[in-house]
Amino acid sequence: MRFATRAIHAGIEPDPTTGAIMTPVYLTSTYVQEAPGKHKGYEYSRSDHPTRAVLERNLAALEGVEYGLAFASGLAAENTILNLLQAGDHVLATQDLYGGTYRLFQRVWAKFGLEFSFVSGEDPDEVRRALKSNTKLLWIETPSNPLLNIVGIRALSEVAHERGVLVVVDNTFATPYLQRPIELGADIVVHSTTKYLGGHSDVVGGALCVKDRAIYEQLKFYQNAVGAVPGPLDCFLVLRGIKTLALRMRQHCENAQRIAEYLAQHPEVERVLYPGLPTHPGHALAKRQMDGFGGMVSLVLKGGMERALRFMRATRIFKLAESLGGVESLMCHPATMTHASIPPEERARIGISDTLIRLSVGIEDAEDLIEDIEQALQASR
Ligand code: P1T
């Protein structure tokens, strides 16, 4: 089955008792057993849950692997990966990451003796040199949040595997419609399903997808032992969102490309970051490892901070809010919003300037979105 068909059907069967075409939302915490240990595969909803099981099968099929695990949030999924490690282990990560991921590393796990360091990820030799004898994970975010950097999953996976290091890819920005990291050599894919997979800004969730059974079993152990699982209605909402993922992603990509091109030729725009622009340093690589360039565009306006603040107050369709990946267009100021938990000097080193604006381009009519940006540019002069 091809992607759009898998999105709608993989792992999903009509309900055997009623024929319901939509996956039932089983609002139950426990399951009656015939005799101790004799049951229908479900004992307790933290361990396994029938609505969640359908979502997990569907997510795995989208990433082209055997195993999926669903979580209460993207960060809960990330946290579960870090549960695999021991005090003294080192994680090497690409430096431009969602601020909450950085916070989970430095403010939560560092105090339990995990060590983190960061590289740009542009050069496989740089990554090879940065691996240490205690490195256990290489953590990649591509396209990255918020700078839309692209790193080579295949090349970096080869470098990591030379040293027995597992490769994690945060595939939230791309979605499996545009990029399937495990096919490129990665070991674990992590998603914030809050974003494009859910697609409608109405649910918070996370997921892990893996090919290797032994890694899956360890992650499944921690999913149950730690317990950050999603509720049944959340699972239903993500499943429903995924049904239109292929359609939505095509429109996100088309709209984002048009907006990036419009911004790139605008005399009042200093910089546009979008992997679909031929001027983007990762354009050729993105073309090889992705099936489209995604719906996220970042920009810096001429005129400094005051201009940026005026612009962010002047848009009408683009709403100022955290998060991304919904059908509606959103705008965010990473320095004070999504990436505020990264110290200012670290943000400056990575290249997240205080004037950077991040757009999550929705699937509205592209003409309306461009007109909205145009009127906000005029109003903010
Ligand atoms: O918010 P949550 O579902 O816990 O997912 C965390 C997360 C993980 N990975 C990436 C790449 C993300 O962008 C996020 C969440 N990001 C935002 C809320 C944001 O506005 O960037």
Side-chain angles (χ1 to χ4, degrees), residues 81 84-85 91-94 127 131 135-142 151-171 181-190 208-212 215 219:
I81 300 172
L84 299 175
L85 305 184
V91 178
L92 182 64
T94 50
V127 172
L131 291 173
T135 307
K136 292 288 156 52
L137 290 182
L138 174 64
W139 192 291
I140 296 172
E141 198 178 291
T142 182
V151 301
I153 296 170
R154 193 185 292 284
L156 297 196
S157 297
E158 280 169 14
V159 167
H161 289 158
E162 285 166 11
R163 304 276 285 272
V165 171
L166 288 182
V167 177
V168 175
V169 175
D170 187 328
N171 205 26
I182 294 176
E183 289 174 5
L184 298 169
D187 300 290
I188 303 174
V189 164
V190 57
L208 298 177
C209 295
V210 282
K211 189 165 81 176
D212 182 86
I215 302 172
L219 292 168

Side-chain angles (χ1 to χ4, degrees), residues 73-75 78 98 145 170 172 192 194-195 205 323-324 338 358:
S73 69
L75 284 176
E78 294 185 7
Y98 169 54
N145 182 1
D170 187 328
T172 298
S192 168
T194 315
K195 309 298 178 327
S323 205
L324 58 111
T338 50
R358 188 191 75 181

